[in-house]
Amino acid sequence: MSQRFFWLKSLGMLGLTLLLQYGQLAAQKVYSIVSPGRTTVLELQAEEGKLSYQLFFKGKAITNRSALEITVDGVSLSTAKISRYDKPALHRESFASPLGEQDSLYNNYRQAKLFLKTNSGNQVRLDFRVMDSSVAFRYAVSVADAVPHQLRELTTFSFPSSPLIYQYNQESVFTPTLVDTFHTTTDLPVTLLADRNYCQLGEAANLHYTKVELARGVDGNTLAVKFPRDTAVLFSKQIETPWRTLSVAGSAIALAHCRTLNLKLADAPAPGDLSWIRPGKLIRAQLNTQSGLDCIDFAVKHHFQYIMFDAGWYGAEFRSSSDPCQVIPAIDMPKVIAYGKEKNIGVILYVNYVGLKSKLDTILPLYKQWGVAGIKFGFVDGLSQAGLSWLSQAIKKVQHYGFVLNIHDNYKPTGLSRTYPALLTQEGIRGDENSPDAFHNTTLPFTRFFAGAADFTYCFPNSKNSFSKNIKVSKAQQLALSVVYYSPLQAVFWYGQPNDYINDEEIAFYDYVPTTWNESHYLSGDIGKGIAVARRKGDTWYLGCAAGPQDWETMLDLSFLRPGITYTATIYEDGDNQVINKRTVTLNNTDKLPVKLLAKGGQAIIFRSGANNPEK
């Protein structure tokens, strides 16, 4: 059967669906949902309660028939009957994204709903959204009684041939693996190469569910949902699962279209003034008063917004006897916070999960009284239903009290930064403190970063320490990654002490680079090979280019620059003897910019219009 015939057949099914909408729904076997731009078709099949889906993109079958299946108390959807089908409806919306990669997000999709009723009387609803190049679906279950019930999810993603996946778990390295040789699990989101198309499987809006990973399914072409910690998800009365997402593109760089999908699927924030939420850069202080004061002076000099006291400021973090309400004697916290307020620098405090679980409701009003600006959660439980449910209500409470939030360790984003904008960032990646290499650095932009912001814990060298244990790439790549990687809150000098940074010329790029953006363009790159990203703040553009473990070169189209304007481009690049060289050139939007990087190297560029150049 030709791809053209398949494509016409899929579009024809949409018309059949509309014709049968008010007819015998129980007799209808196939439902099709077509994206607004008609590039993407999700075809659903319902036969004797067995539900499946198949995704088509530009006339090509991206997936085989894949299972849409859950069980409630061990009872499969195969016992259910279709009671209603709400035809696909077009939705167009936009919303502001002041702390994001661009000012506004536009969300155009067709949505359909399929309703089922089981023999036991349970009501099941499946929601489907089909966008150009992406689809999303979720399950909702309602039961008549109020006793606890158990839900298991058996969703699968099956492909025409064995896909190559970029396997990882939490803060591990990436391991490219064919599914037919796959014997472990991988975190979501996961990026894969399937029959010359790049896909990403993801998850959005996980508030009260468990963590999901993917394992090999019944064959070497299939990935199946797996709960790594919980045997089932518990609920009473009703539950909505997180969204399962599947995005597709013809190239790795084009797959960047899915990087805001989680935000589009998450709930909007509650009405209210959120202008107090301040993004920015931070430096981590040593555990004494003088270091806190020195870090504040450093932050002022280098245009940072925060300092942070990390683990240990209230004692050994894993001991229940350590009290996050009591500061160790070496730190005069009131003095540091007061000095920070005088200089407009906020103080962020780390609290471990042990202290958070026992004293969250105590420390939030206390830290507000102290004048703390933000909180960093450490070693949280982002793996189980109990842990994620606790985190959701904790995030809400932190925002209510007016703190910005950074969650570290195994937690990953699912779009909740839209619902709770004070959640500026999270870790859940192998950042500089875990010594990533150039392959890892140039794989992250095509994988985990498509799910949302991440705190990379940069370890830029200084006059006393090269941090060679942590940094496996060039200095210029370190600078460039602050543009390539999106995080409204960035820890820049993770292990460095402020008085050791006397190389002002080398670190000047960090003085200027912002952490939120008006506009972003993913220009060129491929997984593990190289990446080039341009972002705009105000009238100034920033460009970050990073090479993988091999030399990398590309030609960049500068048409994103404002027409008719000549820009002075200040280029920070690798020089001899591991130093940063800086040079300037003039460019405009009709120019092409050649980029040629040595292995593990990088290049960071600031484009300024004539009147917007502080270096003149």
Side-chain angles (χ1 to χ4, degrees), residues 7 10-11 32-35 39-43 54-56 130:
W7 184 241
S10 299
L11 292 177
S32 291
I33 312 164
V34 181
S35 68
T39 62
T40 309
V41 175
L42 183 67
E43 186 174 277
Q54 189 170 17
L55 175 65
F56 300 89
V130 179

Side-chain angles (χ1 to χ4, degrees), residues 23 44 139 195 293 349 366 381 417 430 468 482 556 611:
L44 313 175
Y139 309 86
D195 194 20
L293 300 176
L349 298 181
L366 178 65
D381 174 11
S417 288
R430 190 177 185 83
S468 59
S482 65
L556 299 181

Side-chain angles (χ1 to χ4, degrees), residues 202-247:
E203 174 184 65
N206 187 345
L207 285 91
H208 305 293
Y209 208 65
T210 190
K211 182 189 178 184
V212 159
E213 295 178 1
L214 295 179
R216 176 175 166 160
V218 294
D219 58 42
N221 297 354
T222 302
L223 291 163
V225 162
K226 180 177 181 179
F227 296 171
R229 289 296 177 95
D230 297 313
T231 57
V233 172
L234 302 179
F235 73 98
S236 297
K237 297 294 287 183
Q238 60 186 16
I239 186 173
E240 283 184 345
T241 73
W243 292 95
R244 304 284 164 242
T245 67
L246 201 168
S247 299

Side-chain angles (χ1 to χ4, degrees), residues 253 458 475-486 490 508-510 512-517 519-525 530-537 539-547 552-561 567-574 580-581 583 585-589 591-597 601-608:
I253 200 69
Y458 298 93
K475 287 183 177 180
Q477 181 165 134
Q478 286 275 295
L479 298 179
L481 292 179
S482 65
V483 179
V484 174
Y485 296 164
Y486 161 66
Q490 289 203 22
F509 187 83
Y510 288 130
Y512 302 116
V513 67
T515 63
T516 58
W517 307 94
E519 187 178 350
S520 296
H521 297 276
Y522 286 61
L523 301 176
S524 181
I531 179 75
V533 177
R535 305 187 191 270
R536 178 178 63 83
K537 188 71 169 185
D539 295 327
T540 304
W541 284 91
Y542 298 79
L543 174 62
C545 305
W552 183 68
E553 59 182 287
T554 188
M555 183 69 71
L556 299 181
D557 183 344
L558 300 184
S559 59
F560 58 83
L561 296 173
Y567 290 83
T568 298
T570 304
I571 302 173
Y572 298 77
E573 56 194 357
D574 295 306
I580 294 290
N581 287 339
R583 60 187 174 92
V585 296
T586 56
L587 295 165
N588 60 50
N589 83 318
D591 289 323
K592 307 293 184 183
L593 179 66
V595 174
K596 189 173 183 179
L597 302 178
Q603 194 174 68
I605 306 175
I606 306 177
F607 296 84
R608 300 181 178 96

